[in-house]
Every structure is written in C-alpha cells, then in structure tokens.
Amino acid sequence: MTDVLVVGAGPSGRAAAHRCAAAGASVTLVDPRPDRRWINTYGMWTDEIPDWVPESTRASTSRSPVVVGTRRHVVDREYSVLDTGRLQGGLTLDGVSVVAESAAEVTPTSVTLRNGTTLSGRTVIDARGSAVGPGVPEQTAHGVVVDEDTAARACGGESAVIMDWRRDNGADADAVPSFLYVVPLGGGAVLLEETCLVGRPGLTSPELARRLLARLAARGVTLRGDEPVERVRFAMRPPTRSTRGVVTTGTRSPALHTATGYSVAASLRRADVIASAVLDGSGVDSAGSRAVTRLRSVGADALLSFPPDALAPFFDRFFEMPSTLQRAYLSSDDDVAGMSRAMLTLFSRIGSSDRRVILGAVRRAVFSAAVGTRS
C-alpha cells in the first residue's frame, strides 16, 4: 500500500508525483514509457507558473505579446515558453517508485496493470490524458521551427503573437478558421504554428500545413523544406465518464481550459492542491472550481457554434476588455465571480447574433446539467 498511485508520466502526472513526494507522501508512478522525452511546446502566461517551478525552465519570455483579430492588440501580460527538457528534468522523482507498465483498470484505491499485477494506494491519480475520437472536440496544429529573421518577416517583427486571425492563409471564407501562433523557443529558434482552436473534428495536419505555407507565401516567406515540424492534436474535453473517487489531473480534469486548450500551467498548480489533499484528506475540486469548469464549457460550446467570420471580431472584443477580466477568464482556477464578470462584460460588447449563439450554449449547458442530475 502506497499513499499515492499516479497513472501517467506526462507533465501533469509527473508534477503530481513530484509534489506529493516532496510533501512527504509515498508515491508510485505508473507509465509504459516513464522516461519518454517530451517534445511539445508548452506556452503559458508567466503569472500562471507556480513559484516552485525554477525560472531556469523558461526557454523564452515575451513581455507584450500580440493578438490580431480584425486589428492588432497588445496584451498587457507576460508570456513564457518552457524548456520541456529542463521542466521534465526539474520534476524529479526522488523517492518515487516508478513502474514501467500500462494500466488496464483504475479504481479509487488500486491500479491493475496489463500484466495482471494489482497495485494499491490510498489515493489514485489518473493523468493519462483524454483520448480524441468521433464527436470529441479537439485542437489541432501544424508548426515549423525557423530562425528569428524568418519569423520576423512572417509576423512583422513581433516578438510573440498569441493569435493572428488574418485570413491570408488561403482558407475559404466558409471553412473552419485557423490562426497563426508565433513564439520564441530560445536560442534564436521561433515556432510558427497554424492552429485550429477547436473543431469537431479539428482540421487535419496536412490542411494546416497547406494553410501555413499559403500564409507565409502571402507574407513573402518561403521555407527551405527541412525545418523541424511540430504536430499537435488533443481532445478539448475531459472524458465524459470517469471512475468516481479517482482524482484526475491534466487534460482529464478541470486543469484543461476547454475554451483555449491550455492545461500545463494549471496542472502544475493542481499538483500542489493534490499534494495538500493527500496530506489532510480534503477534496481536490472545490465548488468554485466546478462552477468555473461549467462556465468554461459554455464558452467552448459557443466557439464551436460561431460562424467562421465571427471569431476574429469576437477576439477583438475579448482583448479590448481590461486585463483583469481577461486574466479571470483565461487563468482562473476557482474565481467564479471574476469569471462571471468577464463573461457578462464580453456578452455586453458583442453583437446580437453572437449573443444568440452564447445563449444557445447556455441553454444546452443547462439541459445537459439537468439530464446529468436525473441520471
């Protein structure tokens, strides 16, 4: 019997194991490839990063990133990209028992491995991620890593562009839209990534690659063809069914922002909440965090329902709001009042057709909650 059984050794699971062990709990970590190297790019607002994460894990920091909807917005908030190798190495597993096996069954107090072995724990944490599949909203992206001069020509010299919704990527006017994401990776490297924020299904990697090349060509940039490539695809919803009593983290949990796709910074913060809960026996998800998750689901449903030409003006309205409201919506873990103020302020600033879309999302959320309560 161990205090904590963690299933999954990605950033969320490794962070949970690291912080629980640091707090004095006995921890077992289960993953078929626990030492596999993390290769995705993890970007986040700097003020989201917990204090215990060393500043040395940041590959780059941009003080005034830009968003482009139908016009340019400078975001008054610092943005960082983590060095995944340093992050992985920094989440040490000192004292953690690592089991290199796949989990076949997870219960609140045990994990049965595919080889038939059963491990027992007082708390089980599921950090295996959320699978994509038919009907599941997903975020997809296709990016290339270029040098700073090439990136400067592609984005007009901006140091970081969180979203560029300009329609110069060759997509049809009625097609699912995508935006350009541009962030420095450190060492003179820059990621240029064509991103489908959310789709059911998301845009394919070949389509995103075609759009990225068309966008760059429209801006006078031609790639060599041998640039490193990043491909992204993940579910934008936690699993609809989970085992009652099993603690979740990462994209299986409220750490996933279902309207933006961000989860890593929230998972790092959640690791401390989990460690505290293990030690004092409290719950991980408060009423406030559950309410924030429900509000995010309304925003996510609205994004899926907006017509393609509505997204750029919508984000204009969002990034015209005060930075405190932007932060409440993008980064709140349990601030229901702040999240509500942000959503109501945005609702008051958008047009009537967009309001109808959001009201439809609210009605669907209420109906879903009522059905869930009866079942």
Side-chain angles (χ1 to χ4, degrees):
M1 173 70 72
T2 188
D3 292 329
V4 181
L5 270 172
V6 182
V7 186
S12 60
R14 191 174 175 111
H18 171 79
R19 295 305 285 171
C20 287
S26 58
V27 181
T28 298
L29 176 65
V30 177
D31 190 282
R33 296 174 58 204
D35 296 323
R36 70 191 184 280
R37 186 171 63 90
W38 301 341
I39 59 175
N40 287 342
T41 299
Y42 300 134
M44 60 199 65
W45 304 104
T46 305
D47 55 38
E48 294 181 320
I49 305 173
D51 292 340
W52 56 265
V53 177
E55 191 169 342
S56 60
T57 61
R58 300 177 200 172
S60 71
T61 299
S62 303
R63 297 194 179 279
S64 300
V66 167
V67 169
V68 182
T70 62
R71 53 189 173 276
R72 178 178 179 271
H73 309 266
V74 177
V75 184
D76 184 21
R77 196 177 180 193
E78 192 174 80
Y79 192 82
S80 290
V81 174
L82 300 188
D83 182 303
T84 51
R86 291 182 206 157
L87 175 66
Q88 188 169 14
L91 296 174
T92 56
L93 298 177
D94 300 334
V96 175
S97 176
V98 180
V99 178
E101 292 285 351
S102 296
E105 183 181 2
V106 175
T107 78
T109 57
S110 68
V111 174
T112 301
L113 307 179
R114 294 204 182 278
N115 65 10
T117 303
T118 296
L119 307 176
S120 298
R122 294 181 177 85
T123 300
V124 173
I125 301 168
D126 195 344
R128 291 177 294 176
S130 187
V132 296
V136 178
E138 59 186 25
Q139 184 170 123
T140 54
H142 182 98
V144 295
V145 178
V146 301
D147 58 70
E148 291 174 329
D149 291 339
T150 302
R153 287 186 285 122
C155 62
E158 306 285 6
S159 62
V161 182
I162 306 304
M163 290 178 166
D164 183 347
W165 288 100
R166 283 176 287 182
R167 300 298 292 263
D168 59 353
N169 60 2
D172 294 337
D174 58 350
V176 173
S178 57
F179 63 86
L180 180 64
Y181 174 69
V182 182
V183 289
L185 303 177
V190 181
L191 175 67
L192 308 178
E193 196 158 74
E194 192 76 17
T195 305
C196 171
L197 178 60
V198 61
R200 192 190 281 127
L203 294 171
T204 65
S205 187
E207 170 61 14
L208 289 166
R210 184 193 68 78
R211 292 188 183 191
L212 178 61
L213 291 175
R215 190 189 295 275
L216 296 178
R219 302 182 186 188
V221 176
T222 302
L223 300 178
R224 298 188 312 271
D226 61 349
E227 291 83 0
V229 172
E230 176 176 87
R231 297 178 180 88
V232 176
R233 185 188 183 198
F234 61 88
M236 288 280 280
R237 294 286 191 282
T240 54
R241 295 181 181 275
S242 58
T243 303
R244 186 180 297 274
V246 174
V247 177
T248 57
T249 190
T251 57
R252 297 182 75 90
S253 76
L256 172 64
H257 196 307
T258 54
T260 67
Y262 284 88
S263 67
V264 173
S267 296
L268 296 176
R269 298 194 301 273
R270 189 174 176 83
D272 278 337
V273 176
I274 290 172
S276 296
V278 166
L279 293 179
D280 62 24
S282 61
V284 173
D285 294 313
S286 65
S289 68
R290 289 191 291 271
V292 164
T293 299
R294 289 192 292 271
L295 289 172
R296 286 175 177 172
S297 70
V298 172
D301 190 39
L303 289 173
L304 281 166
S305 304
F306 279 134
D309 61 354
L311 282 177
F314 177 82
F315 282 105
D316 282 333
R317 300 285 91 78
F318 182 89
F319 285 102
E320 287 167 356
M321 293 196 305
S323 58
T324 52
L325 295 181
Q326 295 176 30
R327 185 177 291 108
Y329 184 81
L330 295 172
S331 305
S332 169
D333 291 328
D334 55 10
D335 182 6
V336 182
M339 173 75 83
S340 300
R341 281 194 299 271
M343 295 181 74
L344 289 172
T345 300
L346 184 59
F347 187 82
S348 72
R349 297 185 178 196
I350 60 178
S352 57
S353 60
D354 290 346
R355 290 181 185 179
R356 285 193 291 270
V357 170
I358 291 177
L359 289 174
V362 171
R363 285 192 292 270
R364 287 189 290 274
V366 170
F367 176 78
S368 178
V371 170
T373 300
R374 288 198 296 270
S375 62

